[in-house]
Amino acid sequence: MTLNIGIKILLSVSIIILTFSSIGNKRSEEKSESFYHKKYDTLSETELAKMFDEERKYFDSSCTEETKKAYEDIKRNKLVFFHYFGMVESFKGNAEMNSLLKNYKIEVDSALYYCTIPSSLQNCYARIMRKEIDRKFGPKFIDSLRQISEIQYVKNNPDKIYRFEECDMVSRYPGDKDYNDFFVNSKRDFWKKTEYPIDYEFRKEQDLYSYISADFILYKNVKIDDIKTYLSFQNKKNYKFASYFINQLKNFIQDTQWIPAKSSGIPVNSEMKITIHFK
């Protein structure tokens, strides 16, 4: 039964991926509709195992064909760089990267990376092309162009508000080395300036934590804007203090000398979030 469930899950994901690949990846082989849409829920374990084996053979065959095609193109002095999408690191400056690659007569394409398929059997054309690019221009060539393209992207988008994950992972709270410091020090400093009201009812040991949080925009000129607060008390009686704590947090955010975020080492506008837990 475990084998049956495991194969069903893997095939289900793979079928979805293959269908998507046939649409999004120009180099995907065309297969009949029945290959993608077999009703595997009605198949026995033996039949499922056979189908899984057929799928493996398909990818093995595709890799062989892609490998042959890659070497043929290389002989014709054709080089192609691939942007990967899926369970991989994403980049902002793909358009800028494409422009840089054109200067070296390197074409651009895209490929999907699938976590359910052995890496040795997917994107074989792309992997051989990357090896040839590294051989011809050096192993650090692509990384150096990527750094340039990311910087160009930031310069080309001076007014963009960057998401947290698009920024360099450096704390924006003054005096902190990393975000572990931020979580500790921001809470400490908030409570230095904020007192609990006399009749505030504190959290009992078995209670869940209550909290207040805020999202805001931190501009590269250190201006703060668009503060949005969210508050939740496990003890409903404490909601009478909601406006007090909201004002305290807003004042704390405005009074803090935040350090502007950076992307590729350049100061940028960014989203920020802070959360404070109540006792």
Side-chain angles (χ1 to χ4, degrees):
M1 183 59 69
T2 302
L3 174 63
N4 195 348
I5 294 173
I7 292 177
K8 281 184 179 181
I9 293 174
L10 183 56
L11 286 174
S12 176
V13 174
S14 297
I15 287 169
I16 293 172
I17 287 171
L18 282 168
T19 304
F20 180 67
S21 175
S22 67
I23 297 172
N25 188 346
K26 311 193 272 198
R27 303 187 179 278
S28 178
E29 293 284 329
E30 289 188 3
K31 300 291 288 184
S32 67
E33 185 177 350
S34 62
F35 179 84
Y36 297 119
H37 298 287
K38 287 185 179 180
K39 295 182 178 179
Y40 51 86
D41 284 335
T42 63
L43 300 178
S44 66
E45 290 185 4
T46 300
E47 289 171 322
L48 284 168
K50 182 180 179 181
M51 185 176 172
F52 184 65
D53 184 57
E54 289 175 355
E55 188 182 64
R56 169 87 184 205
K57 289 179 181 178
Y58 161 71
F59 282 108
D60 192 29
S61 174
S62 294
C63 185
T64 300
E65 293 178 13
E66 286 188 19
T67 299
K68 180 181 177 181
K69 174 65 174 172
Y71 285 122
E72 290 175 351
D73 286 349
I74 289 170
K75 286 181 180 179
R76 295 197 295 268
N77 294 319
K78 178 179 179 179
L79 292 177
V80 185
F81 173 81
F82 282 77
H83 294 290
Y84 284 94
F85 299 95
M87 303 294 290
V88 293
E89 183 181 2
S90 60
F91 296 95
K92 305 181 294 294
N94 284 343
E96 287 78 6
M97 183 71 170
N98 295 348
S99 296
L100 292 172
L101 289 166
K102 286 181 181 178
N103 296 329
Y104 298 88
K105 297 182 179 180
I106 299 175
E107 298 180 22
V108 177
D109 205 336
S110 61
L112 299 172
Y113 186 83
Y114 322 127
C115 60
T116 59
I117 301 169
S119 59
S120 61
L121 294 182
Q122 57 179 309
N123 299 318
C124 297
Y125 182 96
R127 284 191 287 109
I128 291 171
M129 278 291 172
R130 177 59 188 269
K131 287 182 180 179
E132 180 61 16
I133 291 172
D134 289 348
R135 185 197 68 79
K136 186 172 181 178
F137 296 98
K140 296 182 179 179
F141 171 72
I142 291 297
D143 287 343
S144 65
L145 288 189
R146 180 61 77 184
Q147 290 178 355
I148 294 171
S149 67
E150 293 294 287
I151 291 172
Q152 286 182 348
Y153 176 88
V154 175
K155 291 181 177 179
N156 290 340
N157 296 273
D159 298 324
K160 176 179 175 177
I161 297 174
Y162 286 75
R163 300 190 308 276
F164 181 90
E165 61 272 18
E166 293 179 300
C167 300
D168 300 345
M169 292 294 103
V170 179
S171 177
R172 296 156 216 173
Y173 194 71
D176 287 354
K177 296 180 180 179
D178 54 43
Y179 275 96
N180 289 328
D181 288 347
F182 167 65
F183 296 133
V184 173
N185 295 339
S186 60
K187 182 178 179 179
R188 176 202 64 201
D189 293 345
F190 175 80
W191 289 117
K192 282 182 179 179
K193 299 181 179 181
T194 304
E195 295 182 355
Y196 284 100
I198 295 176
D199 50 347
Y200 176 90
E201 296 192 22
F202 291 94
R203 170 180 175 267
K204 296 182 175 59
E205 187 172 337
Q206 70 274 16
D207 292 342
L208 298 174
Y209 277 100
S210 300
Y211 70 92
I212 183 172
S213 64
D215 297 330
F216 59 97
I217 304 301
L218 170 61
Y219 288 93
K220 53 190 172 185
N221 64 1
V222 198
K223 177 185 175 183
I224 300 294
D225 195 16
D226 198 24
I227 300 177
K228 295 184 176 68
T229 59
Y230 310 87
L231 183 145
S232 176
F233 285 116
Q234 297 298 323
N235 186 333
K236 306 304 180 186
K237 295 180 180 179
N238 286 329
Y239 272 105
K240 61 186 176 182
F241 306 118
S243 60
Y244 165 73
F245 285 115
I246 288 172
N247 287 331
Q248 288 295 109
L249 183 56
K250 286 183 175 181
N251 290 337
F252 177 76
I253 292 171
Q254 293 285 6
D255 292 342
T256 297
Q257 298 299 310
W258 300 95
I259 301 169
K262 292 182 178 181
S263 184
S264 299
I266 301 172
V268 296
N269 309 319
S270 67
E271 298 174 349
M272 273 293 294
K273 184 181 184 70
I274 182 172
T275 297
I276 304 292
H277 290 93
F278 296 108
K279 292 182 180 179

